[in-house]
Amino acid sequence: MRIGLIGTGRIGTFHAGVLSRHREVGSLVVADADRGRAAAVADRIGATAAPSAHEIFTWGVDAVVIASATASHAELIGRAARSGLPAFCEKPIALDLPGTLEALHEVERAGTVLQLGFMRRFDAGYTTARELVRSGRLGRLHTVRAVTADPAPPPAAYLPLSGGLYRDCLVHDFDILRWVTGREIVDVYATGSDAGPAMFREAGDVDTAAVLLTLDDGTLATATATRCNGAGYDVRMELAGELDTVVVGLDDRTPISSTEPKGPSAADKPWPGFLERFAPAYEAELDAFVRLVSGEVDNPCDGREALTALRVAEACELSRREHRRVLLEEIPAD
């Protein structure tokens, strides 16, 4: 199989390494807006560097992996669809609903495949939690608590391009909440704080956010996120049922410590970031994409799944602005 990879930043470089080692990938072509960076990555892993993204679509690849800047995703998804190529794309499809819907319509008109990069669906902890919920081990689920905390803010220049904390960060929690529980989110109440670094206020964003979500079976969920968690990278989910409670993301590298006399001490090597924490999940999702292209498996996360998570994020933005409960049905779905 010959795969074209567009984007050789941090996550794109990681994907390039994974694909170059995959037993079913015979050749890899990489491209980036920075031609020198693409050439350096290609030289390091034995791939071919293309002059630009254009060549990815004209050099006879079998599939495309999109890991470029967010603003380019929708156009590249559309081009892959028009070229009849299966595509894997890092989230998001686009930063707004109209752009997302147009890209999805292109894929659907072309009848091609689009897999979105919600890597938590491939994490061992979340997968086990999903199995426990579906098996009934927890009993009736009544409460879910999700946490996403970055150890340090991103560069100021990134914030206006990110879509904001709900779309860029908490969207992962919204997707995994649906995937683990098997339930739909019906309404949200969201709030946020920009009391941290001034760059968040200047970008019209928040550095910390909290959301209360109601699922369609009455389960209550909370999701919190911050860009300013100095202890380390912390991603967890607690699922509490009438019979048992389990936690995803609690291990010897979780950046928390107990104040109890006999509680666990702080982690010696807390997770520094998302790539280290979720490296196995990133590898697994690309393996799933290769097998999807080969016809071995169904799509584990299609564009409509990504659209639903974005609609929840949009509802949160509306709730934060208007200080009210927002029903998901208020956000267009097509």
Side-chain angles (χ1 to χ4, degrees), residues 233-315:
Y233 183 72
D234 189 6
V235 172
R236 283 175 283 125
M237 174 182 275
E238 300 176 15
L239 298 113
E242 291 183 336
L243 299 180
D244 202 357
T245 298
V246 295
V247 183
V248 178
L250 183 60
D251 60 19
D252 61 358
R253 299 191 68 180
T254 305
I256 58 173
S257 57
S258 174
T259 60
E260 299 299 327
K262 295 184 179 180
S265 58
D268 290 334
K269 295 181 179 180
W271 293 111
F274 67 92
L275 196 52
E276 295 81 4
R277 165 67 177 84
F278 287 109
Y282 280 116
E283 292 196 35
E285 72 175 356
L286 282 181
D287 178 65
F289 178 62
V290 171
R291 291 190 292 132
L292 173 63
V293 174
S294 299
E296 299 175 31
V297 299
D298 293 331
N299 195 336
C301 187
D302 66 21
R304 288 286 164 178
E305 294 286 292
L307 172 63
T308 300
L310 176 62
R311 289 177 61 231
V312 177
E314 293 286 336

Side-chain angles (χ1 to χ4, degrees), residues 152-173:
Y158 173 76
L159 293 178
L161 309 175
S162 72
L165 191 60
Y166 299 104
R167 299 185 189 93
D168 181 52
C169 187
L170 276 164
V171 71
H172 280 289
D173 297 277

Side-chain angles (χ1 to χ4, degrees), residues 74-157:
E75 191 276 328
L76 291 171
I77 289 170
R79 186 157 186 189
R82 294 189 298 275
S83 301
L85 293 172
F88 172 94
C89 185
E90 282 297 331
K91 66 85 188 164
I93 294 173
L95 290 178
D96 58 17
L97 279 172
T100 299
L101 289 168
E102 177 53 35
L104 288 179
H105 291 157
E106 285 221 62
V107 171
E108 289 162 1
R109 285 193 295 267
T112 52
V113 169
L114 172 64
Q115 179 184 331
L116 263 292
F118 281 104
M119 77 291 184
R120 294 187 194 181
R121 294 183 177 216
F122 299 87
D123 177 73
Y126 286 107
T127 299
T128 299
R130 185 177 194 259
E131 292 168 355
L132 292 174
V133 170
R134 306 301 177 87
S135 72
R137 220 297 281 288
L138 306 185
R140 181 186 67 85
L141 199 63
H142 54 75
T143 309
V144 182
R145 306 176 189 93
V147 176
T148 293
D150 288 334

